[in-house]
Amino acid sequence: MTDKYESTVGQTADAVAPPPPHERRLSDAWKALKKAPLSAKIGIIVILIYVFIALFAPLLTPYGESEVVGAEFEPWGEGYLLGTDNLGRDMLTRLFYGARNTIGIAFVTTVLAFLIGGISGVLAATLGGWMDQLFSRIVDVLMAIPALIFALLLLTIFGTSIPVLVLVIAVLDSTRVYRLARAVSLNVVVMDFVEAARLRGEGMGWITLKEVLPNIMPPLVAEFGLRFCFVFLTIAALSFLGLGLQPPTADWGSMVRDNATLITYGDITPLIPAAAIALLTVAVNFVVDWFLHKTSGLRDDQ
Amino acid sequence: MTSSAENDGGLLLEMRGLRIEGQADEEWQEIVKGVDVVLNRGEVLGLIGESGAGKSTIGLAAMAFARPGCRISGGSIVFDGMDLMAMSERERRKLRGVRISYVAQSAAASFNPAHKLIDQFAEGPVEHGVRNRAEAEADAKDLYKRLLLPDPDNIGYRYPHQVSGGQLQRAMTAMAMACRPDLIIFDEPTTALDVTTQIEVLATIRNIVEQFNTAAIYITHDLAVVAQMADRIMVLRYGELVEENDTANMMSAPQEDYTKTLWAVRTFKKQSEIYDTSTTPLVAVDHVTAAYGPLTVLHDISFDIYEGQTVAVVGESGSGKSTAARVITGLLPPKQGQVLVKGEALPGDYRRRSKEQLRHAQMIYQMADTAINPKQRIREIIGRPLQFYLGLSGRDLEEKIKELLEMIELEPNQFIDRFPGELSGGQKQRICIARAMAAEPEFIICDEVTSALDQIVAEGILRLLDRLQRELGLSYMFITHDLATVRAIADEVIVMLQGKIVEHGPKDEMFTPPHHEYTDLLLSSVPEMDPNWLDELMERRAQEGVMQSTSSS
Amino acid sequence: MFKLLKIVLQRLGLGVLVLFIISVIIAGAVELLPGDLCQELQGQSATKETVAACRKELGLDKPVYHRYFVWLGNMLKGDFGVSLANGRQISELIGDRTANTFFLAIYAAIISVPLAVALGILAALHRNSIYDRVVNIVTLSSISFPEFFVAYILIIFFSVNLGWFPSLSNITPDTPLTEKMYKAFLPALTLTLVVVAHMMRMTRASIINLLASPYIEMANLKGMTRRHIITKHALPNAWAPIVNVIVINLAYLIVGVVVVEVVFVYPGLGQLIVDSVAKRDIPVVQACCVIFAATYIILNLTADILSIITNPRLLHPR
């Protein structure tokens, strides 16, 4: 009775249920992409265009970033496709360089926010105890003040340089990341496979990196998109208020501010950078929306 | 398929060629594939099947209702001569709750937390114009009494969260009865309850259905339960009918292979042995008291487990059986007492135990789904303890993993690179066993390892565990609420109640009277396949007056 | 009932504690200044004597905790100190502006809250309909728009092209209410547009969440009408989540005010704080921060307490 076919009945009952094994790799991602709704496809294309422009801005533009090339407020036309700004710099050139600066800084800030918030959130959930208490209470307090207001206070004190800007917004934004990372990790930490790893005697490194992290990636990836939008909008708002990126750096928020007078004459040129901001956030949001829908839908069969 | 449903009363419900689709990942997939359901007045039909068989979906279709994300895509539903598919939603609403009503699995979630029980009871009859408010209230109290709820005159004025699970389930049955429907759908009404609570709910449900001669569709995955409740049984699988027959014939002579495998489940029984208790036990739990904060959940318990022995710990939820396991593994350090392995005391906290001490005792969990990391391949899941404890790597590691897969009867090359998501429930549990075996332990705690599995699969797991025990000389601590499992695998049995051991002894002794009052209640509450079992039990209990002692549950 | 009271009191106590901690942070932030406030103020022209005099004047020669309690005590009396930029009493500076900002926020809230909640509930009830899908795309887009973009689009339409509303909201305390409402219409509309999308999406999500509850399914299976299910089963439980959504967005509104005020040159706190940050007029920034933060905390506290006292499990303990 000890042969391996003893429980063939159980085997047949088992064997029918699972789907055949398959490799989910790039081809599957491509398939999913093809099935994505129109809004998500548009979103992805728009994001790719922005990234392209940001990466190759110097090659795509006729002038230098802060080069004065003509008179102030030249209209659209040959030489200056989108006219010139309040100091006589080419709008299109600055728009392309603005992509680089605004997106780049927002991206760096978001990454930093994720490093700070993500790591501390996962650690707080896995370690629990006083560490969790300490982090969570600090975050509670930081979140009790509206982020923009807090940012204004800190910028007053430390001045408005790019490193200060990045650091202040990253820290303030990491509180949101912390909350999410902690919450989703808590759901994973109570799972039996984490308990099994603890009882095996595994250290913190293994548990957080190998057991918890892979299971919280989908919500974190989606959150990255949302946080990026938020950071991007915050930096744009601060620049618009004159408290973000400082001249002569090309930046979409300050471009709107600098040229706002044109609007009262019915000229929409200053709104182009604003629209550029809006279009990118819309695109990211469309993609995130689809991603969230997809990952939450897939949760059932996992 | 034979149908003996041509009894009295005439046809009540007739569903023909029923097809229902569910939406998954933006695509519609058929989850019920052309099933015929016929029901006469006063008849109780049992729908049985594993999860995913489509039985709840069919039950709801009898009310022409499809859950969000589902749609009835084909077939006819005729209730008492009325074609429900041809009706407007408005007309269907007038039938629901009045002539057809529904009892859900989770009473706690299905009652609105914002309203008192009696308000939710009265809502149906009052809104449908069947009774006025005062009549409905009086009726509620009458039904509460018939369903043996404690303090029937006042219990209705409580909020759902103020009432226990078993009582809530009966209150929901009363609510379903409020308009004296012709048909009630019972959707796993006792699945979430403990066995001793389940028995009372079953008895009262059956009683009231008989009193009012109500027809019912009783949905469950528990064969023994359906045998007590139904006149006729339909076995479903993957949205299709496997077999249909009246209960007696179905139980005694199933025709289809699949049905037979369901029925054949409880054949496995290990030969239990008596152990020499003069040697040092492998694991000794010595006067352990444990608590979660101020709440003491284990009161001074002691027991021993010897080499090669299987000790089953039984009890209902809250009995402390899982806490005992947490103390042994070191997840919950005891307040008093200690755990000894081969006579040597272990540190109370697992973090202070040595790698070697940890390796000795392994654990297999109830939910294989959550016990293995869905993002790791089988290779990594089984390989990790081999790396961690035994320091294997490279070819040695690969070979050992394959050896373990062979041991748990899974084809190594086919499974080694799969993710858990690509395995069935039983296969996942086998992976958990392999992971435990990889540590080469002497002692394994099995926490309800078969209760989440379909019975036929569970049987395979038990056989595997038994074989491994004989081959490797392992000791098991088997935590379970299922006495059939205990019968199958235990050498010794410990019965726990409210954090204390109420009875302890060799299996054969435990299953022969006389035993402790609670053991008796527990043993007798486990449904048996015999369709007359519930009747006989109720009769016996009525004579002995056992019912009163537990009706507060 | 006693338990409920205890929880509410606990929350209130916690709220006060948070306010206190926030005040410490706002006051303490100045201590993070590299160097010294007086040196910072005087810059290149600083001499030992002038710095010392300045320190004395601002009380910087006193220990930190002493300064903090003086500051806190004065603030509780309504005395926020003196502006570094123009030497005026801050309480004078912010008095009217605070009123203006609250006027604008309440104005926007009165339009947006009913609108957003109604549209959100409608979208949830008609889930996956064309209406719902359109609403999803539109709101998703509009939460992606920077406030100033929305503001300028409105200016181009309503002010430049149509000439219906002014693009500058230069109101004074003496402006009559109707004129105030007329002049503040575009800023209020901007805020409304920005906040409605957020509020609506959140309302929709929380209602859908609620409608997925088994007890709603049960009510359906009891043959209750749609109207009955919504009024008797959904709404009593929807209260808490909806209030929560509203409050979160009101808090958001308060912050969104900053950018909108700048665009429309609306004389509110937001303008003041932006100007003061640029001038590094720290006491004014601190005062504005205290007001914004306190409003924000009080709003969140209100949401907390409302959701506690509408929870049946706490209202009717076992």
Side-chain angles (χ1 to χ4, degrees):
Chain A
M1 276 305 281
T2 51
D3 74 35
K4 59 193 277 190
Y5 300 107
E6 180 176 65
S7 55
T8 41
V9 195
Q11 288 275 298
T12 46
D14 267 4
V16 195
H22 53 258
E23 297 286 317
R24 323 189 186 119
R25 285 274 176 264
L26 276 176
S27 68
D28 273 27
W30 181 245
K31 238 184 264 167
L33 206 60
K34 276 208 282 196
K35 265 177 26 183
L38 188 65
S39 57
K41 282 181 191 156
I42 294 175
I44 290 172
I45 293 170
V46 170
I47 293 171
L48 289 178
I49 293 174
Y50 273 76
V51 170
F52 180 78
I53 291 176
L55 286 178
F56 299 106
L59 302 178
L60 299 170
T61 50
Y63 308 105
E65 182 177 353
S66 42
E67 191 182 340
V68 177
V69 295
E72 295 154 22
F73 295 134
E74 291 250 22
W76 295 13
E78 226 164 298
Y80 329 103
L81 231 46
L82 294 176
T84 57
D85 71 357
N86 60 328
L87 296 179
R89 296 169 295 192
D90 183 47
M91 273 302 261
L92 186 74
T93 303
R94 286 186 69 76
L95 200 62
F96 278 22
Y97 273 101
R100 187 170 245 216
N101 299 328
T102 316
I103 298 173
I105 287 175
F107 187 75
V108 170
T109 310
T110 316
V111 169
L112 198 60
F114 261 75
L115 287 179
I116 301 170
I119 292 173
S120 53
V122 175
L123 274 183
T126 338
L127 289 173
W130 65 267
M131 201 74 159
D132 184 19
Q133 284 296 321
L134 179 72
F135 283 173
S136 296
R137 294 298 82 78
I138 291 175
V139 165
D140 282 350
V141 168
L142 286 181
M143 285 183 80
I145 311 179
L148 184 67
I149 303 296
F150 208 169
L152 289 177
L153 177 69
L154 293 176
L155 290 177
T156 320
I157 290 163
F158 295 114
T160 46
S161 64
I162 290 180
V164 170
L165 189 72
V166 168
L167 211 62
V168 164
I169 295 181
V171 167
L172 290 180
D173 216 53
S174 67
T175 55
R176 269 82 180 166
V177 182
Y178 170 86
R179 284 255 172 114
L180 180 88
R182 179 175 174 276
V184 291
S185 307
L186 273 183
N187 288 338
V188 176
V189 164
V190 295
M191 297 266 203
D192 291 335
F193 65 80
V194 178
E195 187 181 298
R198 287 184 205 270
L199 286 180
R200 198 187 304 140
E202 299 283 5
M204 262 309 113
W206 175 277
I207 289 178
T208 47
L209 292 179
K210 290 284 192 169
E211 306 285 351
V212 178
L213 203 60
N215 286 291
I216 61 169
M217 281 321 280
L220 281 188
V221 168
E223 183 69 6
F224 188 88
L226 295 180
R227 290 315 337 153
F228 171 79
C229 287
F230 190 82
V231 167
F232 186 58
L233 287 176
T234 309
I235 291 180
L238 284 174
S239 299
F240 173 77
L241 296 174
L243 306 170
L245 300 187
Q246 298 300 312
T249 313
D251 159 78
W252 291 343
S254 40
M255 283 170 76
V256 178
R257 170 195 172 86
D258 293 342
N259 303 294
T261 32
L262 283 183
I263 291 171
T264 39
Y265 303 108
D267 185 340
I268 58 147
T269 314
L271 286 187
I272 293 173
I277 296 168
L279 185 62
L280 179 61
T281 28
V282 170
V284 174
N285 267 320
F286 278 167
V287 176
V288 169
D289 196 49
W290 165 65
F291 184 80
L292 274 178
H293 193 78
K294 202 164 161 46
T295 48
S296 66
L298 277 175
R299 207 174 292 150
D300 295 337
D301 58 35
Q302 271 298 315
Chain B
M1 220 59 17
T2 53
S3 165
S4 71
E6 297 138 13
N7 51 19
D8 58 321
L11 197 63
L12 180 65
L13 174 75
E14 188 177 14
M15 298 199 274
R16 292 285 173 198
L18 185 66
R19 289 180 184 278
I20 301 170
E21 291 177 337
Q23 202 173 19
D25 204 10
E26 307 275 314
E27 275 168 37
W28 291 97
Q29 281 168 353
E30 210 157 67
I31 47 179
V32 174
K33 303 160 188 162
V35 173
D36 292 345
V37 180
V38 180
L39 187 67
N40 286 322
R41 286 183 184 281
E43 189 189 18
V44 179
L45 171 68
L47 294 187
I48 187 157
E50 299 163 9
S51 53
K55 41 193 200 305
S56 291
T57 317
I58 294 174
L60 288 169
M63 307 177 82
F65 184 88
R67 291 215 161 103
C70 293
R71 65 179 183 202
I72 300 172
S73 53
S76 66
I77 303 168
V78 177
F79 174 80
D80 199 18
M82 294 173 284
D83 183 357
L84 298 192
M85 295 299 284
M87 277 183 170
S88 68
E89 185 63 16
R90 204 186 152 89
E91 288 169 314
R92 287 185 204 143
R93 280 186 187 281
K94 287 185 182 148
L95 288 179
R96 291 184 192 141
V98 183
R99 302 204 53 200
I100 318 172
S101 58
Y102 180 77
V103 175
Q105 173 171 357
S106 166
S110 297
F111 272 110
N112 191 327
H115 301 299
K116 292 175 185 150
L117 295 178
I118 206 158
D119 292 338
Q120 301 190 49
F121 177 98
E123 177 177 46
V126 171
E127 288 295 313
H128 287 296
V130 176
R131 281 178 239 282
N132 67 30
R133 171 78 199 199
E135 286 166 356
E137 280 198 31
D139 186 46
K141 289 168 190 171
D142 176 48
L143 284 172
Y144 291 157
K145 196 184 258 164
R146 288 168 190 258
L147 285 159
L148 304 179
L149 282 165
D151 195 9
D153 286 339
N154 297 311
I155 193 167
Y157 298 96
R158 296 208 211 155
Y159 285 86
H161 64 273
Q162 297 171 321
V163 175
S164 77
Q167 291 169 357
L168 220 45
Q169 204 68 53
R170 279 178 274 170
M172 181 167 326
T173 306
M175 187 161 83
M177 274 289 172
C179 297
R180 300 296 183 275
D182 301 287
L183 170 63
I184 302 184
I185 320 290
F186 290 97
D187 192 354
E188 307 245 14
T190 60
T191 306
L193 305 175
D194 273 330
V195 273
T196 52
T197 315
Q198 155 170 296
I199 198 91
E200 293 173 25
V201 176
L202 286 181
T204 50
I205 285 179
R206 211 181 57 176
N207 198 328
I208 201 143
V209 167
E210 271 169 18
Q211 277 180 36
F212 295 106
N213 194 31
T214 315
I217 294 179
Y218 197 98
I219 298 163
T220 179
H221 67 278
D222 189 333
L223 208 56
V225 165
V226 83
Q228 310 311 315
M229 306 304 285
D231 302 319
R232 188 157 49 93
I233 295 176
M234 289 174 74
V235 180
L236 296 162
R237 195 180 198 203
Y238 305 138
E240 283 171 299
L241 179 70
V242 176
E243 189 171 357
E244 179 176 359
N245 211 335
D246 58 80
T247 304
N249 281 332
M250 189 68 129
M251 301 308 290
S252 57
Q255 300 297 313
E256 297 295 316
D257 284 346
Y258 174 66
T259 322
K260 281 181 192 162
T261 62
L262 284 180
W263 265 235
V265 160
R266 301 177 184 217
T267 53
F268 171 70
K269 192 177 174 193
K270 152 186 163 168
Q271 203 56 49
S272 70
E273 292 163 42
I274 305 296
Y275 287 82
D276 178 12
T277 52
S278 61
T279 58
T280 314
L282 180 67
V283 177
V285 174
D286 181 23
H287 296 285
V288 162
T289 296
Y292 293 112
L295 184 71
T296 304
V297 283
L298 283 183
H299 303 272
D300 190 30
I301 63 161
S302 302
F303 60 88
D304 299 332
I305 298 170
Y306 291 89
E307 213 178 294
Q309 192 184 31
T310 302
V311 174
V313 182
V314 294
E316 297 179 285
S317 52
S319 62
K321 57 187 194 302
S322 295
T323 311
R326 289 176 68 84
V327 170
I328 296 175
T329 54
L331 284 168
L332 182 71
K335 265 189 154 171
Q336 282 159 32
Q338 55 186 352
V339 177
L340 303 106
V341 167
K342 293 179 184 162
E344 204 178 301
L346 287 181
D349 190 328
Y350 75 94
R351 280 168 288 201
R352 290 192 294 132
R353 293 186 185 170
S354 70
K355 219 169 172 176
E356 202 53 22
Q357 286 168 329
L358 290 171
R359 185 180 69 78
H360 266 285
Q362 292 292 313
M363 180 129 178
I364 305 172
Y365 294 85
Q366 174 176 7
M367 307 295 290
D369 281 327
T370 61
I372 47 181
N373 192 334
K375 302 288 178 187
Q376 290 177 357
R377 290 176 194 276
I378 305 307
R379 178 194 297 281
E380 210 172 339
I381 295 168
I382 302 179
R384 181 59 188 174
L386 295 171
Q387 265 176 334
F388 188 77
Y389 289 128
L390 312 175
L392 295 186
S393 62
R395 175 162 295 183
D396 293 346
L397 179 65
E398 174 99 5
E399 260 168 36
K400 186 73 189 167
I401 295 171
K402 289 188 173 171
E403 202 177 294
L404 282 162
L405 280 170
E406 198 119 350
M407 190 151 101
I408 55 163
E409 297 150 13
L410 295 179
E411 215 290 297
N413 292 323
Q414 198 188 338
F415 284 91
I416 194 164
D417 282 318
R418 286 200 196 180
F419 283 103
E422 296 162 341
L423 303 183
S424 71
Q427 289 168 340
K428 281 182 214 163
Q429 195 59 290
R430 282 168 191 264
I431 297 299
C432 292
I433 293 173
R435 179 178 61 186
M437 295 302 165
E440 301 187 349
E442 291 173 64
F443 172 60
I444 296 182
I445 298 176
C446 302
D447 188 357
E448 305 266 14
V449 287
T450 54
S451 62
L453 300 173
D454 294 318
Q455 295 177 14
I456 182 70
V457 182
E459 171 98 347
I461 296 289
L462 291 185
R463 283 179 194 273
L464 172 66
L465 285 170
D466 180 53
R467 200 195 83 210
L468 294 173
Q469 179 168 49
R470 277 181 283 120
E471 287 175 8
L472 307 169
L474 296 165
S475 304
Y476 294 141
M477 172 173 162
F478 236 89
I479 297 167
T480 182
H481 68 277
D482 178 22
L483 290 165
T485 307
V486 177
R487 279 206 178 91
I489 202 148
D491 296 313
E492 243 182 55
V493 183
I494 293 171
V495 181
M496 291 189 68
L497 173 67
Q498 291 162 3
K500 294 187 183 109
I501 294 176
V502 293
E503 204 166 1
H504 182 183
K507 175 175 71 177
D508 295 336
E509 241 170 68
M510 298 296 290
F511 283 103
T512 36
H515 21 59
H516 185 275
E517 194 186 336
Y518 176 72
T519 312
D520 193 49
L521 180 69
L522 200 60
L523 285 178
S524 65
S525 296
V526 178
E528 289 171 19
M529 301 290 252
D530 175 7
N532 298 319
W533 166 80
L534 186 62
D535 292 324
E536 287 163 9
L537 176 73
M538 282 300 124
E539 213 166 286
R540 209 170 64 231
R541 283 195 182 174
Q543 286 164 3
E544 292 165 7
V546 184
M547 208 66 181
Q548 286 82 356
S549 67
T550 58
S551 60
S552 63
S553 58
Chain C
M1 230 39 211
F2 175 73
K3 196 177 159 196
L4 187 68
L5 194 69
K6 202 175 125 193
I7 295 177
V8 170
L9 285 178
Q10 263 175 3
R11 263 329 128 88
L12 279 174
L14 208 64
V16 173
L17 181 70
V18 171
L19 272 173
F20 175 75
I21 295 173
I22 296 301
S23 75
V24 171
I25 290 177
I26 292 174
V30 185
E31 306 297 327
L32 295 174
L33 260 183
D36 184 82
L37 185 57
C38 284
Q39 232 145 22
E40 192 75 20
L41 278 175
Q42 300 176 343
Q44 299 292 331
S45 64
T47 62
K48 256 193 178 148
E49 293 72 38
T50 54
V51 169
C54 161
R55 285 176 62 94
K56 187 149 192 164
E57 193 189 320
L58 292 176
L60 290 182
D61 50 345
K62 304 267 170 46
V64 180
Y65 62 89
H66 178 87
R67 264 181 283 145
Y68 169 71
F69 282 109
V70 170
W71 178 76
L72 185 68
N74 286 341
M75 210 173 54
L76 290 176
K77 281 182 281 177
D79 175 12
F80 290 90
V82 188
S83 160
L84 297 180
N86 51 23
R88 285 176 60 190
Q89 279 290 320
I90 295 175
S91 47
E92 268 174 46
L93 266 178
I94 62 174
D96 293 338
R97 285 171 175 272
T98 309
N100 287 344
T101 292
F102 280 110
F103 171 75
L104 182 58
I106 291 168
Y107 192 1
I110 288 173
I111 310 175
S112 58
V113 170
L115 191 70
V117 171
L119 291 177
I121 292 178
L122 221 56
L125 292 183
H126 300 280
R127 199 181 171 189
N128 292 333
S129 65
I130 295 294
Y131 166 73
D132 184 34
R133 279 165 202 249
V134 170
V135 154
N136 183 39
I137 299 276
V138 170
T139 53
L140 200 55
S141 307
S142 70
I143 57 173
S144 314
F145 286 9
E147 285 106 339
F148 54 85
F149 186 45
V150 179
Y152 282 127
I153 290 177
L154 291 181
I155 288 180
I156 286 192
F157 263 99
F158 290 106
S159 180
V160 178
N161 289 345
L162 296 170
W164 290 355
F165 295 98
S167 64
L168 294 182
S169 314
N170 51 342
I171 61 167
T172 63
D174 312 324
T175 318
L177 183 67
T178 45
E179 200 189 325
K180 251 191 201 173
M181 286 176 68
Y182 171 71
K183 284 188 166 171
F185 182 75
L186 286 186
L189 188 62
T190 309
L191 280 175
T192 301
L193 287 179
V194 172
V195 98
V196 157
H198 269 287
M199 213 186 309
M200 202 180 141
R201 285 178 79 82
M202 289 162 81
T203 309
R204 177 182 175 276
S206 61
I207 296 289
I208 282 178
N209 199 5
L210 191 86
L211 290 180
S213 317
Y215 59 79
I216 298 291
E217 180 177 286
M218 193 68 210
N220 263 310
L221 292 172
K222 280 160 78 181
M224 298 296 109
T225 58
R226 235 184 135 73
R227 174 194 292 263
H228 181 90
I229 291 173
I230 289 162
T231 55
K232 286 281 158 60
H233 288 280
L235 280 185
N237 295 295
W239 235 85
I242 289 181
V243 164
N244 211 4
V245 168
I246 292 174
V247 172
I248 289 173
N249 283 286
L250 288 184
Y252 182 83
L253 232 162
I254 294 286
V255 180
V257 149
V258 175
V259 172
V260 174
E261 283 183 359
V262 170
V263 175
F264 291 95
V265 201
Y266 182 90
L269 271 191
Q271 269 257 322
L272 181 66
I273 195 173
V274 170
D275 288 347
S276 309
V277 173
K279 291 184 216 150
R280 304 191 75 174
D281 190 347
I282 291 172
V284 180
V285 176
Q286 280 177 319
C288 295
C289 278
V290 167
I291 294 171
F292 278 120
T295 315
Y296 194 80
I297 291 166
I298 289 168
L299 279 172
N300 280 320
L301 192 65
T302 316
D304 254 15
I305 290 177
L306 279 176
S307 77
I308 291 169
I309 61 174
T310 51
N311 183 342
R313 280 164 207 278
L314 292 170
L315 272 181
H316 315 282
R318 273 169 188 268

